[in-house]
Amino acid sequence: MAISDDPHGAVRNPKVLNDSSVLRRRPSAASVSGFFESSATVESESSGEESVKDSSSDDSISSDQNIAAANSDQNRGPDISSIKFTYRPSVPAHRRIKESPLSSDNIFRQLQSHAGLFNLCIVVLVAVNSRLIIENLMKYGWLIKTGFWFSSKSLRDWPLFMCCLSLAIFPLAAFIVEKLAQRKCIYEHIVVLLHIIIATTAVLYPILVILRCDSAFVSGVTLMLLACIVWLKLVSYAHTNYDLRALTNSIEKGEALPNTHMEYAYEVSFKSLAYFMVAPTLCYQPRYPRTPSIRKGWVLRQFVKLIIFTGVMGFIIEQYINPIVKNSQHPFKGNILYAIERVLKLSVPNLYVWLCMFYCFFHLWLNILAELLRFGDREFYKDWWNARTVEEYWRMWNMPVHKWMIRHLYFPCLRTGIPKGAAVLIAFMVSALFHELCIAVPCHIFKLWAFSGIMFQVPLVLITNYLQNKFSNSMVGNMFFWFTFCILGQPMCVLLYYHDLMNRNSKLD
């Protein structure tokens, strides 16, 4: 076959055009145009520019026009001659500077979706851990005891249960004090003193009950968590109403600034207090954003997930963590290499339990509670897993506590003239104190391990901030956070409290 002199390379031989075998061997105009149409679309979307014409030739046309011409020829059937204008060699294939999808710029700036890689990690994680579970069961057997969920010892925890029910007395007392303050039956300083007494008693009373009873660790932790939540809510309730009264009095006396306005009117309502005490928030306000309805099917699905992941946590604790801890030594006694090996071996199952706990409480349970109460603001956490510094982690990990700290501790300290660094240190000290209470009181051990662990976050804040400033385009701070917080810190605290608890029990026996 002779080569045509046509500058566009068009085929002149009619036998070739009419030969069906040749048409079958060559791609049709529809398939080719469809392929290049998708390529051109991706190119135009990524570059944000229109297709470029070849200015050195009068007969060159844009790739978009070529594709349109090829699409218009689809109605006339396959026509190989239309291919000659489709995605010509003179059309630029490279238009701008781009990074690979897995480059650090695209990953850390979240410019590229990595959902497929995430799914692959999930599949690999399930496969690997399934093998480990089967291997563990074959080697050690079923280690979960029949009394894991309920035992005869749980019946002896009825004082803790009664104490839990009696915590409702303290919000009622706070409401009575606020009602008296609204009617101006008592002085302002008396109101503040009564609120301090009520909030302090709400924490000391459960502590005394737990210390006087030989209760299970889980029961004691649950009661202490509830007591701390009640304390935080009572402080927010008293502080917010105090501020509303002060604004109301200033406006009435004409002492407020002209642009001063109140988001909510000062009112003391038992209904608003009751809703606040069960709502998934620690910051009181008379009204909250509400959703229009309750999604019953959605709530049911979240309950099923909650049950499943709670069971997973129990399985990991009984089947993996307990044997590792029982076969370990005190981290600060004995061979240091053996202690490091135990900590690293414990770090993986401990990390699984911690992540499951976060998902069960902060995502499932708080969203279930919010849905049942039609609570609108459900920002219970942010993307703390992307935190590049420890300071960012504490701002995003627990949003209810963070908002409480900002509203009732951090900014009040700044308004009184306390420096910013000292205010941050005070916030960490309060957090460390409550962490110590929630762990040390149920264990009946006061070694300040939890308190020291939280206060150790302060130098970590400085270190990770330095790393972030020095390596601004990397995730060095994020990796440092994961290692110190999850791989080293938490397993170390578990081993310390376990061995101190065993030593205490052996002395009592």
Side-chain angles (χ1 to χ4, degrees):
M1 182 181 68
I3 300 176
S4 173
D5 295 332
D6 190 304
H8 299 294
V11 180
R12 296 294 187 184
N13 194 342
K15 294 182 179 180
V16 177
L17 292 176
N18 296 329
D19 190 355
S20 59
S21 62
V22 175
L23 291 176
R24 283 195 300 268
R25 288 195 299 268
R26 296 194 178 197
S28 65
S31 61
V32 175
S33 64
F35 170 79
F36 287 114
E37 181 180 6
S38 61
S39 302
T41 303
V42 173
E43 180 69 20
S44 62
E45 289 178 353
S46 61
S47 63
E49 301 172 354
E50 296 186 4
S51 300
V52 181
K53 293 185 179 181
D54 186 0
S55 58
S56 62
S57 176
D58 294 337
D59 58 347
S60 64
I61 60 175
S62 66
S63 59
D64 290 339
Q65 292 173 341
N66 294 335
I67 296 168
N71 289 335
S72 64
D73 291 338
Q74 292 181 17
N75 299 327
R76 299 194 300 269
D79 186 1
I80 297 179
S81 62
S82 63
I83 302 176
K84 62 184 180 182
F85 295 118
T86 305
Y87 211 89
R88 296 188 53 165
S90 60
V91 176
H94 308 284
R95 300 178 183 272
R96 60 183 299 186
I97 298 174
K98 300 179 184 177
E99 295 288 343
S100 298
L102 293 180
S103 64
S104 59
D105 289 339
N106 279 339
I107 291 178
F108 298 145
R109 295 177 184 175
Q110 299 179 355
L111 298 177
Q112 185 78 23
S113 174
H114 299 87
L117 291 178
F118 177 78
N119 292 334
L120 175 62
C121 292
I122 294 298
V123 171
V124 172
L125 193 66
V126 171
V128 171
N129 286 278
S130 298
R131 184 193 66 81
L132 294 176
I133 291 173
I134 294 174
E135 181 182 355
N136 181 275
L137 292 175
M138 293 173 62
K139 186 175 182 180
Y140 301 104
W142 188 261
L143 299 179
I144 299 179
K145 301 177 182 179
T146 56
F148 174 73
W149 297 107
F150 182 82
S151 64
S152 58
K153 189 175 181 179
S154 301
L155 297 175
R156 299 199 299 268
D157 292 341
W158 66 268
L160 274 67
F161 179 71
M162 298 303 296
C163 178
C164 180
L165 295 179
S166 62
L167 289 177
I169 298 174
F170 301 102
L172 180 61
F175 170 75
I176 294 174
V177 172
E178 283 299 323
K179 205 67 177 176
L180 294 175
Q182 183 188 27
R183 297 177 180 178
K184 300 182 180 180
C185 297
I186 53 179
Y187 294 107
E188 191 64 40
H189 62 277
I190 300 297
V191 175
V192 175
L193 178 62
L194 289 176
H195 276 303
I196 293 175
I197 295 174
I198 292 171
T200 304
T201 309
V203 174
L204 295 180
Y205 169 53
I207 292 176
L208 295 176
V209 173
I210 294 174
L211 294 179
R212 291 180 62 88
C213 299
D214 185 19
S215 61
F217 174 74
V218 177
S219 302
V221 170
T222 303
L223 178 57
M224 281 307 306
L225 285 175
L226 289 175
C228 292
I229 291 173
V230 170
W231 186 88
L232 294 172
K233 285 176 177 281
L234 290 177
V235 170
S236 179
Y237 181 71
H239 197 182
T240 302
N241 282 318
Y242 174 85
D243 190 53
L244 289 175
R245 282 197 305 273
L247 286 175
T248 302
N249 294 333
S250 298
I251 293 175
E252 290 177 353
K253 295 178 181 179
E255 299 175 354
L257 297 176
N259 58 350
T260 301
H261 67 281
M262 297 176 60
E263 297 287 341
Y264 305 100
Y266 173 57
E267 56 182 1
V268 180
S269 170
F270 181 77
K271 181 179 179 181
S272 61
L273 174 61
Y275 183 86
F276 167 62
M277 293 306 298
V278 295
T281 180
L282 299 175
C283 295
Y284 172 75
Q285 58 191 57
R287 289 180 299 277
Y288 295 93
R290 306 286 295 276
T291 55
S293 61
I294 300 175
R295 299 170 292 177
K296 298 182 177 62
W298 183 89
V299 172
L300 180 61
R301 290 192 298 271
Q302 304 310 307
F303 264 118
V304 173
K305 292 180 183 178
L306 183 63
I307 295 173
I308 292 174
F309 279 93
T310 303
V312 170
M313 281 194 296
F315 177 82
I316 296 175
I317 291 173
E318 288 291 303
Q319 197 73 24
Y320 288 91
I321 293 182
N322 281 350
I324 295 174
V325 172
K326 290 179 181 178
N327 295 327
S328 64
Q329 297 177 356
H330 197 283
F332 295 156
K333 300 176 182 178
N335 191 344
I336 186 172
L337 292 179
Y338 178 80
I340 294 175
E341 186 273 336
R342 289 288 96 181
V343 169
L344 294 178
K345 188 173 183 179
L346 183 62
S347 62
V348 175
N350 180 82
L351 177 61
Y352 288 164
V353 171
W354 183 63
L355 292 177
C356 287
M357 180 275 300
F358 159 77
Y359 185 70
C360 287
F361 182 76
F362 286 98
H363 183 73
L364 295 177
W365 172 245
L366 292 183
N367 272 289
I368 289 172
L369 191 60
E371 187 70 22
L372 294 176
L373 296 174
R374 293 170 48 213
F375 188 83
D377 186 3
R378 303 183 184 184
E379 190 185 43
F380 305 122
Y381 57 91
K382 292 183 179 180
D383 56 335
W384 55 266
W385 46 87
N386 292 327
R388 301 188 181 188
T389 64
V390 174
E391 185 179 3
E392 286 184 6
Y393 165 77
W394 287 110
R395 288 203 306 261
M396 299 186 293
W397 148 256
N398 188 340
M399 292 306 295
V401 171
H402 173 70
K403 292 177 181 178
W404 187 95
M405 287 284 185
I406 291 295
R407 192 185 193 204
H408 301 293
L409 187 62
Y410 180 73
F411 279 108
C413 288
L414 296 183
R415 282 193 289 268
T416 57
I418 297 177
K420 179 180 178 180
V424 172
L425 185 61
I426 292 173
F428 271 104
M429 290 184 64
V430 172
S431 176
L433 177 62
F434 279 102
H435 278 80
E436 181 68 24
L437 289 177
C438 291
I439 300 177
V441 173
C443 292
H444 300 256
I445 297 174
F446 298 94
K447 293 292 186 69
L448 299 180
W449 298 125
F451 183 88
S452 302
I454 298 300
M455 293 307 298
F456 185 66
Q457 306 296 309
V458 176
L460 288 182
V461 169
L462 301 178
I463 294 174
T464 52
N465 286 341
Y466 169 77
L467 293 175
Q468 177 60 23
N469 294 332
K470 187 175 181 59
F471 308 99
S472 57
N473 294 327
S474 67
M475 295 290 282
V476 176
N478 182 266
M479 290 185 288
F480 187 81
F481 153 73
W482 281 112
F483 179 78
T484 57
F485 195 82
C486 298
I487 305 301
L488 182 63
Q490 292 183 2
M492 181 68 72
C493 285
V494 170
L495 291 177
L496 289 172
Y497 273 106
Y498 173 79
H499 287 287
D500 288 341
L501 183 61
M502 291 297 102
N503 293 335
R504 173 183 175 273
N505 293 337
S506 61
K507 292 179 180 179
L508 293 178
D509 296 339

